[in-house]
Amino acid sequence: MGETIIGMDTHIVKSNYYAMEREGGGLLGVGEFKTSAQNFIMAVNKFPQPRTVIIEQGPMAEWIKRVLEPRFAKVVLADPKQNSWIAKDRNKNDEVDAQKLACLVVGGFIKEIQSRSVAKAEFITYVIHYHGLVKQMVRIKNQLSAKFRQQGIRKRGAGAYEADQISHDLCLMDDNLAMPEAILQMRSQLELLERQKMQVKSKLQKLSEGFSEV
């Protein structure tokens, strides 16, 4: 038995597959399943080995690759920018896309994207998380600044959002009791985010030692 090619169109709720023989192009099976690690394995195991699964690079692609390799199938991540046959076709649906991915790989028209190592994927996840924390901190600082402006107090300078400075500025405000409470709660959120940011930064510094480019 020759190699089995399985084109998959993957989505967070459901995924489609189209399985065919590399030699001769004979159809082996078409189907749809609810997206989960176990269902990916079950779908692939329906067909004879050796198997190659072809999916477009996307948010779930590297997770699917980790689920299926190396025990169940070789996984090829395709560059979606190169797959104009899929992107531009008017007759476009999930089952058709899965079929065309299989046909493209058999014809040698797929541009493969090399997946990241687990260690590099972890590092990148931490980088994204770090920047997300920074954005949240900036948003809270802007909200704090707006609260103080409502009381005629301008926040500026490196220490403007430190706990001591916030306490000092609260003493300058009027008797609007809701305002200080809101400000103190936002300040607590800022302190929590600052601690989390430093924890992630420490992990990033350790992980970066494994990558010469970093």
Side-chain angles (χ1 to χ4, degrees):
M1 188 71 180
E3 182 183 7
T4 300
I5 302 298
I6 307 171
M8 283 192 171
D9 190 75
T10 61
H11 301 279
I12 190 65
V13 176
K14 67 178 180 68
S15 298
N16 293 75
Y17 66 83
Y18 183 97
M20 61 187 294
E21 299 173 343
R22 179 183 283 274
E23 298 297 331
L27 175 63
L28 297 176
V30 179
E32 177 182 298
F33 57 90
K34 183 177 179 181
T35 297
S36 72
Q38 187 60 38
N39 286 343
F40 272 111
I41 294 169
M42 290 175 61
V44 167
N45 277 343
K46 292 178 181 179
F47 306 106
Q49 296 187 19
R51 314 176 186 106
T52 295
V53 173
I54 175 71
I55 58 177
E56 285 192 334
Q57 175 67 285
M60 298 191 302
E62 294 190 9
W63 167 68
I64 297 169
K65 188 176 178 72
R66 291 195 299 271
V67 167
L68 295 178
E69 285 190 340
R71 292 175 56 199
F72 304 104
K74 175 185 176 183
V75 178
V76 174
L77 305 185
D79 184 352
K81 293 181 180 180
Q82 297 293 318
N83 297 340
S84 58
W85 186 25
I86 293 175
K88 297 177 182 178
D89 195 343
R90 293 179 182 177
N91 181 25
K92 181 175 173 60
N93 60 56
D94 296 341
E95 184 177 316
V96 170
D97 288 355
Q99 177 184 355
K100 289 181 177 178
L101 280 170
C103 293
L104 285 168
V105 75
V106 168
F109 300 111
I110 287 292
K111 180 181 179 181
E112 182 176 358
I113 296 176
Q114 296 301 316
S115 62
R116 307 182 186 103
S117 66
V118 173
K120 182 163 285 188
E122 181 183 23
F123 178 77
I124 291 172
T125 299
Y126 273 122
V127 169
I128 294 171
H129 181 44
Y130 179 86
H131 285 290
L133 292 172
V134 171
K135 287 181 180 179
Q136 291 182 61
M137 292 176 67
V138 170
R139 184 163 58 247
I140 291 176
K141 287 180 178 180
N142 288 338
Q143 292 172 349
L144 281 169
S145 179
K147 294 290 186 187
F148 279 107
R149 280 201 305 272
Q150 293 173 24
Q151 296 285 319
I153 301 170
R154 186 178 182 185
K155 302 298 290 177
R156 58 190 303 183
Y161 302 97
E162 296 296 331
D164 291 344
Q165 186 62 49
I166 292 289
S167 297
H168 174 270
D169 292 339
L170 285 174
C171 295
L172 305 177
M173 298 176 68
D174 61 24
D175 294 331
N176 182 345
L177 298 180
M179 189 73 75
E181 183 177 358
I183 288 172
L184 289 173
Q185 288 181 353
M186 284 190 284
R187 174 59 205 168
S188 295
Q189 294 172 17
L190 198 59
E191 289 177 354
L192 175 61
L193 289 169
E194 179 65 31
R195 289 197 298 271
Q196 292 174 340
K197 187 189 79 170
M198 296 309 296
Q199 290 169 0
V200 173
K201 184 176 181 180
S202 177
K203 291 180 179 179
L204 278 172
Q205 289 172 335
K206 292 179 180 178
L207 291 171
S208 67
E209 296 173 1
F211 306 107
S212 58
E213 63 270 29
V214 178

